[in-house]
Every structure is written in C-alpha cells, then in structure tokens.
Amino acid sequence: MPNEIWRPPPVLLTVDLVILTLRVSALHVLLIERGIEPYKGSLALPGGFIANENEDVFDAACRELREEANLDATELHLEQLGAYGRPGRDPRGRIVSVAHLAIAPGLPEPEAGTDASAASWVPVEDITSDRRTLAFDHRQILEDGLERARVKIERTALATAFCAPTFTIAELQRVYEAVWGFDLDPRNFYRKVQSVPDFLIPLGPDRRTTKGRPARLFRADHHQELRPPILRPLPPNRNEEAR
Amino acid sequence: MPNEIWRPPPVLLTVDLVILTLRVSALHVLLIERGIEPYKGSLALPGGFIANENEDVFDAACRELREEANLDATELHLEQLGAYGRPGRDPRGRIVSVAHLAIAPGLPEPEAGTDASAASWVPVEDITSDRRTLAFDHRQILEDGLERARVKIERTALATAFCAPTFTIAELQRVYEAVWGFDLDPRNFYRKVQSVPDFLIPLGPDRRTTKGRPARLFRADHHQELRPPILRPLPPNRNEEAR
DNA sequence: TCAAAAGTGTTGTAACTACACCCATGA
DNA sequence: TCATGGGTGTAGTTACAACACTTTTGA
C-alpha cells in the first residue's frame, strides 16, 4: 500500500424537509416536482446542499424552508429527524442528507409564484397509499417524520404548531385526528386537553363563531411537555377473548 | 464572480457512540481517553471517521463498536441519535458526526487488552454532575442519548437490552431506576410490567437464586412496543396548592 | 429461626370511556 | 324553530399508588 497518511473520504451534505400542515382536516406534505436530474419530474421533499463550509446544518434547513417553501423558520416548528446516509441513495455520489421535520399552521396558501413555484401541498394519504411515489429515499424519510409526529403530539404540545396563534379545541382535535388517522370523542377530548396543566391558555371571553355555538379560543406554548400525556387509544382489537 | 458551476462543499463524516450499560445498579457510559490531538488526554465518546466512500453510516457505527469497544453489534441494541454538525465543533475542520445510542447488557467486562485498551466504563453521574468533562460536543450528545433512553424505556422494551438474555423482574426494575434516576415500588412494578401484553415471557419453572426467595426468570423481545406504556411517575411537586 | 428478597391482597383515588343531555348561535 | 356544533353531568370501569402481609429461600 502507498506510504501516505490516510485521509477520510469526503461526502456531500444535504438537508431535506418534511413539512406538514393541515388542509381541510387532512394532513398534507409540501413536495416539489424536480426540475433536474436525477428523478427529474418526480415528486421529492424540498431540500438542498449545504451552502458553504461554515453553514450550520440547522441554518441550512431554515434557508431551504425559506427558499423552497417560502416559509419563515421563526414562525413554525422545526426539528431534526436524523441522518440518511445509505450508499447509493443518490445516484450522483456519496450524499448524506440530514432530514428535518417542520410543522406549519394550515393557513399559508400553497406557494408563491416565486422560487417555490414548483412546490405544492400533497395529501399524505396519496403517498402512504402508494398512489404517488417519491424520489430517492424520501418515502422512508416521510414515514419517519409522520411517526415522529404521531408519537410527539402525545407527550408535547406539538399539535398546537399545526394551529393558528389562537384556536378552538375542535380545531386542535382535528389535528390529533388527522395525524393519528382515527376519530376521537369530542366531549372527552374537550375535557382531557383542558385538564393537562399549562397546555391550553384560555383567552378571556374571546370566541370563534362558525356554525352553531361559538367556541372558546385558546393559545399554547408549542414546546410544552404534556404531563400527563394525551395517549392515543389502543386499536379496537385490544382484548381478544382467550378461547 | 467566476464563471464556473457551483459545487457543494465537501464535509468529513464521523460516527460517535453513546454506549450505555448497568454496572452495580448504576448507569455507566463507555469513554475513551484520546491519544491524539485535538483534546489529547480528554475523555471522549468512542467513534471515528467513515472508512471509505461506500461504507454505510450504520455499518460504520457497528465497526467502531467492534474496534473501539470490542462489542458485537448483532448482540446489542443500536440506533441512530442524530447528526451533529455545528461548524467549529471540531477544530480540525468541517466534520459532521452521526451519533448513535447503544445499549449493552452489564456483563461484558470493561475492555480487552486489545484495540479498546483506552476504553473504560465511567459512571454517567460523573459526567452529568460536571465532575468530569468531555471532548468536543460529546457532553451534549451524551445528554441527548440519556434523554432518548429515558423516554424510550417508557414505550418500548428497550430496558431489556440492558439485561442478560434471561433476567428477573428485580433486575429489570434496577434498569428503570438507574435510567430514570429514582426508585420505584417493587410490588407495583412487579405487577405493572407483567400486565403489559407480550412484554415479558416467563421461562418455565426456572428461577434465579440469590439471597432470599428465588425469582422467576423472563426473557423479552427488545423491539416490542409496550401497550400500555410504563410511564414514569410525575415528580413529587405535582400539585402545588394554589396560593 | 431470622434476614432478605419474591410475590399477593386490599383500599382509596385518579383517570378514562361511553353516552345522555343541555346551551348558544346562525339561518 | 331547527340544525349545528359547543359544552356539562354522570355512571361504570380500569389503572395505579400506597402499603400491609405472606411465601420461599440461604445462612
């Protein structure tokens, strides 16, 4: 072997974003149609390369959020999901991606006619049901992001990150139902979330009026830990009768 | 600006390992004393660079586990914690580390006189209490690994990864107590863990005899999800009287 | 026969489910 | 006034913390 000191192999680093939101009570994810090879024309998670030697990974995620989705990281929840580094995951070479999960309130309309023009909200159900496919290993990343969200709304106030600054309990319930994929009893949900200390802060006499009786408005701290947690019920096959 | 196509900046990739085990009822982490700069002489998590262009990140973690700790990845729990990529975290340049959490049964004695000779088990308490410091951002990585373990033994059978293939309920209880940092009632713990379906599989009439009455032996599936979960109790300051 | 650890019984309380029911509003 | 969603009452059940108590072993 050559008589030179060994040097570790360099890799290229990207960030990818799983951006979730609620639209008409259904969970959606922001996807872009790729304009360049590889996977040109396919749907993919927004993301891109680290800009330079000194850009922090988290800052890169914030930047992509702005450039590709026209969203402001200071106004939504953003956390790291993990690194995806399987060799061969990108045909261009050894590219390791640090995936992130972002949660946005429902209101921001699809995309501007700006840089983010190729982006669109896609129902999560369209991906998980295999009606549409994703580029690279982005389907796996999306599944991991969904599972993270499902588990995390049990123990933290993360669900409120899907809501506008003020929201009703029914709106919060729609978040839990969309993320978990099944319905909850509104009467019990109403009391359960209000019984968790420091989860929901009632806003004076303010009410949101839709159809029916106007509902109380609340706000929340997105980073609050829920004690006790809001555990999702077991699936109905809980007690199979033993013989 | 120069008229050439932009190329993303390459980075170097390492894996770092938080390897936890139980020794005499206290949580320990495997640390190495660094033999080279930077941080020569300091304690650090075991880890190292990706070996080559084609090595999978997870495989690299397995390899470091073998080389630096003399442990076999097929016989213990190993999962990714996340990527740590703050610029400046390593004075040698832009180095991104993918941290992993490993859980080992207590028995494997400290280290062989082999490659792993610089490794030793250190009580976690010595680090968290600031009696000893760690190189790089390894203290943060360790804290994140501990928090992952604390949360995950609530919802999965991960605690059994600290145990030998067969174990008693009292041994399992010592795991929960060491990871959570407080004591549990043995009577209630005994029934609680046995009431979770598919968590503990009793082993015929086998018993482990120590001092006192011999205890039943169990085995478990380390990857089992616990339904319902074993939730840690709230800290004693649960209900502060209003006013 | 005593210490020590395993394992069981019991009781009061808190939490949860299921569902009946009342309330406040817009159309 | 009625439809619609917001909000309350309540009964039956399960989970759980606390702790007294019995059982089985080694020394």
Side-chain angles (χ1 to χ4, degrees):
Chain A
M1 76 183 60
N3 185 16
E4 42 182 89
I5 51 171
W6 177 81
R7 296 206 178 276
V11 303
L12 300 181
L13 205 64
T14 61
V15 294
D16 283 315
L17 295 167
V18 177
I19 312 173
L20 301 178
T21 199
L22 223 63
R23 295 171 65 76
V24 288
S25 299
L27 199 58
H28 286 62
V29 59
L30 192 77
L31 298 176
I32 58 160
E33 189 177 321
R34 286 183 60 80
I36 57 170
E37 294 292 347
Y39 293 102
K40 182 172 178 177
S42 290
L43 287 176
L45 297 174
F49 287 100
I50 293 283
N52 60 65
E53 278 279 340
N54 293 313
E55 186 181 44
D56 181 49
V57 176
F58 189 82
D59 293 342
C62 296
R63 178 176 52 74
E64 293 293 341
L65 204 52
R66 188 169 2 91
E67 292 178 3
E68 299 227 38
N70 202 28
L71 294 171
D72 183 350
T74 63
E75 295 180 2
L76 44 69
H77 175 88
L78 181 60
E79 66 179 274
Q80 188 191 118
L81 270 178
Y84 292 77
R86 185 175 56 77
R89 62 178 292 277
D90 191 316
R92 290 168 291 185
R94 188 62 197 273
I95 298 179
V96 173
S97 180
V98 181
H100 291 72
L101 173 67
I103 309 280
L107 302 175
E109 274 310 311
E111 71 273 20
T114 68
D115 297 2
S117 52
S120 61
W121 294 109
V122 175
V124 165
E125 167 70 13
D126 285 2
I127 310 296
T128 54
S129 68
D130 257 331
R131 275 198 293 276
R132 314 196 59 172
T133 58
L134 293 186
F136 306 105
D137 51 2
H138 287 186
R139 187 201 167 96
Q140 180 65 51
I141 296 174
L142 172 60
E143 301 271 12
D144 292 348
L146 292 171
E147 184 58 24
R148 173 78 64 98
R150 280 191 286 262
V151 170
K152 211 162 172 186
I153 62 174
E154 289 189 307
R155 321 195 61 79
T156 74
L158 180 63
T160 59
F162 283 96
C163 299
T166 68
F167 52 88
T168 69
I169 290 185
E171 288 164 357
L172 185 63
Q173 183 182 341
R174 266 170 242 131
V175 172
Y176 277 88
E177 290 176 333
V179 173
W180 283 344
F182 48 77
D183 290 347
L184 302 169
D185 183 297
R187 287 91 47 115
N188 292 333
F189 183 84
Y190 182 89
R191 277 172 295 196
K192 195 164 179 175
V193 293
Q194 284 193 97
S195 74
V196 179
D198 305 323
F199 183 15
L200 301 181
I201 302 150
L203 291 177
D206 296 6
R207 300 202 157 234
R208 176 162 303 165
T209 173
T210 55
K211 203 160 35 171
R213 177 175 175 173
R216 272 203 278 268
L217 283 175
F218 295 84
R219 61 182 180 79
D221 176 359
H222 296 177
H223 304 291
Q224 179 72 34
E225 183 190 1
L226 303 186
R227 306 286 302 249
I230 315 271
L231 297 175
R232 49 191 148 157
L234 293 162
N237 57 345
R238 47 193 315 173
N239 289 346
E240 319 180 31
E241 288 304 317
R243 177 161 318 278
Chain B
M1 71 182 64
N3 184 17
E4 41 183 90
I5 52 172
W6 179 81
R7 295 203 180 278
V11 304
L12 301 182
L13 205 64
T14 60
V15 293
D16 283 315
L17 295 167
V18 177
I19 311 173
L20 301 179
T21 199
L22 223 64
R23 296 170 64 76
V24 288
S25 299
L27 199 57
H28 286 61
V29 58
L30 193 77
L31 298 176
I32 59 162
E33 190 177 320
R34 286 184 59 82
I36 57 171
E37 295 293 348
Y39 293 103
K40 182 171 179 175
S42 290
L43 287 176
L45 297 173
F49 287 102
I50 293 283
N52 60 65
E53 278 279 341
N54 293 311
E55 187 180 44
D56 182 48
V57 175
F58 188 81
D59 293 342
C62 295
R63 177 177 54 73
E64 292 293 343
L65 204 51
R66 188 169 3 91
E67 292 177 3
E68 299 227 41
N70 203 26
L71 294 171
D72 183 352
T74 63
E75 295 179 2
L76 43 69
H77 175 89
L78 181 61
E79 67 179 271
Q80 187 189 120
L81 269 178
Y84 292 78
R86 186 175 54 77
R89 62 179 290 279
D90 190 317
R92 291 169 291 185
R94 188 61 197 273
I95 298 179
V96 173
S97 181
V98 181
H100 291 73
L101 173 66
I103 309 282
L107 301 176
E109 274 309 311
E111 71 272 18
T114 67
D115 297 3
S117 51
S120 61
W121 294 110
V122 176
V124 165
E125 168 69 14
D126 285 2
I127 311 295
T128 53
S129 69
D130 258 330
R131 275 198 294 276
R132 314 195 60 170
T133 58
L134 293 186
F136 306 105
D137 51 2
H138 287 186
R139 186 200 168 97
Q140 180 65 52
I141 296 175
L142 172 61
E143 301 269 15
D144 293 347
L146 292 171
E147 182 59 22
R148 174 78 64 97
R150 279 192 285 262
V151 169
K152 212 163 171 185
I153 62 174
E154 289 189 307
R155 322 196 59 81
T156 75
L158 180 64
T160 60
F162 284 97
C163 299
T166 69
F167 53 87
T168 69
I169 290 185
E171 287 164 358
L172 185 63
Q173 182 183 344
R174 265 170 245 131
V175 172
Y176 278 88
E177 290 175 335
V179 173
W180 283 345
F182 48 78
D183 290 347
L184 301 168
D185 182 296
R187 287 88 49 110
N188 293 333
F189 183 84
Y190 182 88
R191 278 172 296 200
K192 194 164 178 176
V193 293
Q194 283 192 96
S195 73
V196 179
D198 305 322
F199 184 16
L200 300 181
I201 302 152
L203 291 177
D206 296 7
R207 301 202 154 233
R208 175 160 303 165
T209 173
T210 56
K211 204 162 34 171
R213 177 175 178 173
R216 272 204 277 269
L217 284 175
F218 296 84
R219 62 183 178 80
D221 176 359
H222 296 176
H223 305 292
Q224 178 73 35
E225 183 189 0
L226 303 186
R227 305 288 301 252
I230 315 272
L231 297 175
R232 52 192 145 157
L234 294 161
N237 57 345
R238 49 193 315 172
N239 290 346
E240 317 181 32
E241 289 304 316
R243 176 175 321 278

